[in-house]
Amino acid sequence: MINKKWDEILKNEFQADYFKKLGCFIKKAYAGKIIYPPYKDIFNALKYTDYDEVKVVILGQDPYHGENEAHGLAFSVKEGIKKPPSLINIFKEIYDDLGIKRNKSDLTDWARQGVLLLNTIMTVEKDKPLSHKGIGWEIFTDNIIKKLNERREPIVFVLWGSHARSKKEMITNPNHYIIESPHPSPLSANYGFFGSKPFSKINNFLESKNIPKINW
């Protein structure tokens, strides 16, 4: 069981052939190789932020592939693990945008406030980025985005980088708000991520809809 409402909304996905094949692949992969995040953490994004609680969606591509970094929330790492460069840049932008100096690298507190930190590919083999691309995760997470698009209550969708921005075509509901920019990775952060002020934009939109803001 992931979370009561998600289990209900995604029940057809769990019964679909592609998801059953995905499940078989994943079980074999975890049995024979080092896969991240830990098996129990794969669905943490859905566990911490139930369907009705989602205020913001931040899309990642696939989990961090370094040792002990990924724990099921896009861009987040557990405390005591060296911060990846993208996360460092996210924190720089929070400071420049809102004057908030955040050091805590575990973003579970965001998830508990309604920020769905969703990787579009939910597992990865150690040291092999995108190694689980095309095995079925994208079908599953695309359908999550489509289900969220159907919601009447407003959601902010944050699309960083070309991969996340490719999902924009699924967000057709005019109740929702899309924020897009280059990715926070060192390769692209200087080309439009820095200075994009996504965190104040999110909170300004939520406030305009009488939705509690996120404490970043």
Side-chain angles (χ1 to χ4, degrees):
M1 183 168 178
I2 292 172
N3 217 321
K4 190 174 181 182
K5 192 68 186 248
W6 276 125
D7 280 337
E8 179 187 323
I9 290 212
L10 298 174
K11 63 183 178 184
N12 289 338
E13 302 303 313
F14 299 142
Q15 293 164 9
D17 286 344
Y18 86 87
F19 195 86
K20 290 175 182 175
K21 288 175 185 173
L22 172 63
C24 290
F25 177 95
I26 291 299
K27 281 177 183 172
K28 286 179 184 174
Y30 274 85
K33 299 174 181 177
I34 299 174
I35 307 295
Y36 297 127
Y39 191 79
K40 66 180 177 57
D41 292 338
I42 293 174
F43 295 107
N44 272 354
L46 303 177
K47 287 177 184 173
Y48 288 126
T49 316
D50 208 354
Y51 180 80
D52 290 335
E53 298 166 351
V54 176
K55 302 177 188 176
V56 181
V57 178
I58 298 179
L59 285 182
Q61 187 162 11
D62 67 338
Y64 295 125
H65 53 83
E67 188 173 359
N68 295 326
E69 291 179 327
H71 67 116
L73 301 176
F75 296 104
S76 178
V77 293
K78 287 190 172 178
E79 296 308 305
I81 304 297
K82 184 181 178 183
K83 293 183 186 71
S86 291
L87 188 60
I88 290 170
N89 287 341
I90 288 168
F91 289 179
K92 282 181 183 175
E93 182 60 19
I94 291 174
Y95 182 75
D96 290 343
D97 186 3
L98 296 172
I100 294 170
K101 189 163 187 179
R102 182 181 173 102
N103 291 311
K104 191 176 181 185
S105 58
D106 185 333
L107 306 181
T108 302
D109 59 307
W110 291 3
R112 293 191 189 280
Q113 294 178 74
V115 181
L116 183 67
L117 296 161
L118 183 68
N119 280 315
T120 58
I121 302 164
M122 299 183 85
T123 54
V124 69
E125 187 176 340
K126 183 180 187 292
D127 298 331
K128 293 185 179 179
L130 299 178
S131 49
H132 286 180
K133 181 180 180 181
I135 64 168
W137 282 128
E138 295 94 333
I139 302 170
F140 180 65
T141 53
D142 278 0
N143 286 330
I144 288 172
I145 294 167
K146 289 172 185 174
K147 292 292 185 185
L148 288 165
N149 180 60
E150 292 170 6
R151 237 186 55 178
R152 189 169 52 188
E153 299 83 5
I155 298 170
V156 183
F157 288 86
V158 181
L159 312 179
W160 289 330
S162 58
H163 176 76
R165 291 165 104 167
S166 72
K167 308 298 181 180
K168 184 179 178 180
E169 63 187 25
M170 291 185 277
I171 307 162
T172 57
N173 185 335
N175 291 345
H176 304 320
Y177 177 47
I178 298 171
I179 294 173
E180 52 183 322
S181 78
H183 196 275
S185 80
L187 295 173
S188 55
N190 287 314
Y191 296 95
F193 174 75
F194 287 139
S196 61
K197 300 189 181 299
F199 305 99
S200 59
K201 287 176 183 174
I202 290 166
N203 277 349
N204 289 341
F205 177 79
L206 294 176
E207 195 170 32
S208 76
K209 301 296 181 182
N210 296 312
I211 299 169
K213 297 188 290 185
I214 306 299
N215 178 6
W216 301 107

